[in-house]
Amino acid sequence: MEIQLAVDEAKCIKCGKCIKVCPSGIFRWNGEGSSRSVVAEDVQTCIRCGHCAAVCGAAAINHSLFPAEKVHAVDVAALPSPEQVMMLCKARRSNRSLTTAPVPQEYIEKILQAANTAPTASNMQQLEYTVVTSPQKIEAIIEFVLDYFASMVRLLENPLLKPVLKSLLGDGAYRYVGVFKRIREAYSKGDDKILRGAKCVVFIHAPKSSRFADADANLAYQNGSLMAESLGVSQIYTGFVCTAAKKGKGKLESMLGIDSSRRIVAGMALGMPQFRYPNFIDREPLKANFI
């Protein structure tokens, strides 16, 4: 789609903010002194970030991708205080004690919307989301993960390969052998240690060709996770699932109907908690160098 972008001289107050914020350097001053104006050039280099429309308090930016109905005033008074943001960050925990209640649809949508507001490299916005609430699909995900790690345990314990693998992988890899066995045993007794009884799983996926998918997904996950915490929804990072998906050569993506050109980058298991933590715990002291 060809972008249409221009500055309305009748509205422009010549503050120059659009010039300062545009990543592509599209805006520049034209002329000198009181007669100078802001013009837009090489508009097809626009990365569609919307910085220009967001920074213009005079509504002088005419951008075909950001018409007036897509530009909204920020209610500064409604923003949380720094203390409130800090408390939200400190209060957030992976609460694995879940009820059998479903996560309300409106909560899921708010979590997705929050994730979708996160910045992406070059504003490519290549992330998409697959939301799983089907009990049958959730069981299939768990079985997929258990089968993958069972195959890994068999490989690691192969008497012919074990000496070589141990020298290559070290003791760290073998530390998980017992863990995987206990997870499988617990599941056979009805105790899900993979998704912890979550009623919703959100997968974040991106094109396989995306160079910055992991960083983009991490930013999106953090936004969604903080929104979940504010809603009182438990969120659990699906590390085992993502590991199995990465090594599974597209099997999980296919199972979930995700296009073969895309890969799962991150996942979040959601559920309603049996309780909320009344306390937060101090982390290790901040390690930072100021130069």
Side-chain angles (χ1 to χ4, degrees), residues 91-165:
R92 181 179 55 170
R93 302 192 73 82
S94 294
N95 188 341
R96 296 174 175 85
S97 301
L98 306 179
T99 70
T100 58
V103 181
Q105 180 67 24
E106 61 268 28
Y107 286 7
I108 297 173
E109 291 175 1
K110 285 184 178 181
I111 292 167
L112 293 175
Q113 289 292 346
N116 195 49
T117 63
T120 58
S122 298
N123 194 46
M124 294 294 287
Q125 300 184 56
Q126 294 178 313
L127 299 181
E128 294 181 10
Y129 303 82
T130 294
V131 182
V132 184
T133 56
S134 162
Q136 293 77 21
K137 284 289 186 183
I138 289 176
E139 286 297 321
I141 293 167
I142 296 169
E143 290 287 354
F144 167 79
V145 176
L146 291 173
D147 288 347
Y148 167 74
F149 283 112
S151 68
M152 291 305 299
V153 168
R154 289 193 296 271
L155 179 66
L156 291 171
E157 291 191 323
N158 184 306
L160 297 177
L161 298 175
K162 190 171 182 178
V164 177
L165 292 175

Side-chain angles (χ1 to χ4, degrees), residues 14 109 120 131 146 159 168 217 256 259 263 270 278 289:
K14 303 179 182 181
E109 291 175 1
T120 58
V131 182
L146 291 173
L168 290 173
L256 299 175
D259 190 272
R263 66 182 178 95
L270 301 173
N289 294 322

Side-chain angles (χ1 to χ4, degrees), residues 27-217:
F27 301 93
R28 69 171 182 83
W29 290 111
N30 182 44
E32 299 291 337
S34 60
S35 64
R36 72 176 181 171
S37 61
V38 178
V39 295
E41 296 180 335
D42 297 324
V43 299
Q44 298 312 312
T45 64
C46 173
I47 65 169
R48 310 177 180 207
C49 65
H51 283 354
C52 56
V55 81
C56 183
I61 303 296
N62 292 327
H63 198 306
S64 57
L65 295 180
F66 306 105
E69 61 268 21
K70 285 192 173 184
V71 181
H72 311 280
V74 175
D75 185 356
V76 177
L79 296 177
S81 68
E83 292 76 17
Q84 290 171 323
V85 173
M86 183 62 76
M87 182 55 67
L88 179 62
C89 291
K90 289 180 176 179
R92 181 179 55 170
R93 302 192 73 82
S94 294
N95 188 341
R96 296 174 175 85
S97 301
L98 306 179
T99 70
T100 58
V103 181
Q105 180 67 24
E106 61 268 28
Y107 286 7
I108 297 173
E109 291 175 1
K110 285 184 178 181
I111 292 167
L112 293 175
Q113 289 292 346
N116 195 49
T117 63
T120 58
S122 298
N123 194 46
M124 294 294 287
Q125 300 184 56
Q126 294 178 313
L127 299 181
E128 294 181 10
Y129 303 82
T130 294
V131 182
V132 184
T133 56
S134 162
Q136 293 77 21
K137 284 289 186 183
I138 289 176
E139 286 297 321
I141 293 167
I142 296 169
E143 290 287 354
F144 167 79
V145 176
L146 291 173
D147 288 347
Y148 167 74
F149 283 112
S151 68
M152 291 305 299
V153 168
R154 289 193 296 271
L155 179 66
L156 291 171
E157 291 191 323
N158 184 306
L160 297 177
L161 298 175
K162 190 171 182 178
V164 177
L165 292 175
K166 202 158 190 177
S167 65
L168 290 173
L169 303 176
D171 292 332
Y174 281 84
R175 180 171 65 88
Y176 283 98
V177 169
V179 174
F180 297 144
K181 287 182 176 180
R182 289 192 294 273
I183 288 174
R184 168 63 80 174
E185 182 180 358
Y187 185 71
S188 68
K189 297 177 181 178
D191 185 6
D192 167 25
K193 298 292 188 184
I194 301 296
L195 295 177
R196 305 287 178 162
K199 299 302 180 184
C200 174
V201 188
V202 176
F203 288 105
I204 307 174
H205 47 92
K208 292 178 179 178
S209 59
S210 175
R211 295 174 55 197
F212 304 104
D214 294 274
D216 289 347

